[in-house]
Amino acid sequence: MAEAGTGFLEQLKSCIVWSWTYLWTVWFFIVLFLVYILRVPLKINDNLSTVSMFLNTLTPKFYVALTGTSSLISGLILIFEWWYFRKYGTSFIEQVSVSHLRPLLGGADNNSSNNSNSSNGDSDANRQSVSECKVWRNPLNLFRGAEYNRYTWVTGREPLTYYDMNLSAQDHQTFFTCDSDHLRPADAIMQKAWRERNPQARISAAHEALEINECATAYILLAEEEATTIAEAEKLFKQALKAGDGCYRRSQQLQHHGSQYEAQHRRDTNVLVYIKRRLAMCARRLGRTREAVKMMRDVSLNLCLRTVTMHLT
């Protein structure tokens, strides 16, 4: 009896969720029909004329007070959100939406039928115990060797997940590789290095690429993953800037000779912009705020000029 009652409640809940999800237009027209039928008993026309008369008699002081009150409430909500995020590391509104409102609106997965299967009971229980995970880009631009590894040394925990590493690998392959990398041995080695999951294999590949040629992307990888301090990372990024600037100047002269050279120039531009941005991050970490602001301003200006030039050509 208990199982039958539980099944009936689940079926009733699913029907209600389905009705709210797909039949909202029917509910809307039903409400409009009821309003039309009850317009005389409810004196809707009289009430509307009264409301319009009231709105016409309002003075500008009312709208000023209304605007000030709404701004005050918005400010209080913003301050509370900031305090909650600083204390708990997440947004209060987002947490309430995901944890409480989403299940009521039918966003949560129903795994009760899977839990009844004895063969998959343990895996389903583990899946239910894990909360929903969101994968974001790295907003703080932390250095993997100088900052993430230091956190691992201090706490013994891994700050990066498989999803973080996968996103970083996708970004690196998008910005630091192109179809013509096989023509340059060092870039061909780095193209394989960015796909490696083992950090030591990536670092070894970067050193191998540097033995062949001064490769900017190899210096980038070493600065990001092998350097243990921000000062070491900045030194490697300066070497990468020197090598990347030379590649950029050479590819800039050949960019109009074909699609292959254009792709190389686009990649060299991405590498140069990334190096300058990371150098600005190093300066900011080391306390040279004005230098960091100047470098980021130059990077933004160069990007704007490049965009305008691309549109004009």
Side-chain angles (χ1 to χ4, degrees), residues 18 30 32 41 55 79 88 97 99 113 172 184 217 233 241-242 272 290 296 302:
W18 181 85
I30 289 175
L32 289 181
L55 294 176
I79 293 173
Y88 299 103
S97 301
S99 302
S113 60
H172 294 156
R184 295 190 285 190
T217 54
L241 179 63
K242 183 178 179 181
L272 191 63
R290 292 186 178 180
M296 289 298 294
N302 291 334

Side-chain angles (χ1 to χ4, degrees), residues 135-190:
V135 181
W136 296 90
R137 303 293 188 195
N138 181 8
L140 299 178
N141 295 293
L142 300 181
F143 294 92
R144 189 173 294 178
E147 294 177 314
Y148 281 130
N149 285 346
R150 185 174 61 185
Y151 176 84
T152 304
W153 298 333
V154 174
T155 63
R157 300 177 181 178
E158 288 291 340
L160 297 175
T161 64
Y162 168 77
Y163 301 101
D164 300 324
M165 302 291 285
N166 189 26
L167 288 177
S168 299
Q170 292 177 8
D171 290 340
H172 294 156
Q173 294 179 41
T174 301
F175 297 131
F176 301 151
T177 62
C178 65
D179 296 335
S180 61
D181 282 342
H182 63 279
L183 300 177
R184 295 190 285 190
D187 291 332
I189 295 175
M190 289 307 301

Side-chain angles (χ1 to χ4, degrees), residues 280 283-284 288-299:
R284 177 64 183 87
R288 304 196 303 269
T289 307
R290 292 186 178 180
E291 181 181 352
V293 171
K294 182 180 181 300
M295 295 176 68
M296 289 298 294
R297 190 177 298 166
D298 293 340
V299 170

Side-chain angles (χ1 to χ4, degrees), residues 202-218:
R202 291 196 297 271
I203 294 174
S204 300
H207 284 291
E208 183 181 353
L210 288 176
E211 292 176 359
I212 299 175
N213 192 7
E214 289 290 318
C215 183
T217 54

Side-chain angles (χ1 to χ4, degrees), residues 107-124:
D109 296 333
N110 187 9
N111 293 326
S112 60
S113 60
N114 296 329
N115 292 332
S116 62
N117 192 348
S118 58
S119 61
N120 297 328
D122 296 336
S123 61
D124 293 332

Side-chain angles (χ1 to χ4, degrees), residues 260-276:
Q260 176 181 338
Y261 296 100
E262 185 179 356
Q264 289 183 4
H265 179 66
R266 190 182 305 113
R267 190 273 309 274
D268 293 337
T269 303
N270 292 333
V271 170
L272 191 63
V273 170
Y274 183 87
I275 293 171
K276 291 182 178 180

Side-chain angles (χ1 to χ4, degrees), residues 81-100:
E81 275 286 306
W82 174 80
W83 170 82
Y84 193 89
F85 182 82
R86 288 290 301 272
K87 186 174 182 180
Y88 299 103
T90 184
S91 171
F92 175 77
I93 297 176
E94 182 181 0
Q95 185 179 9
V96 171
S97 301
V98 173
S99 302
H100 302 286

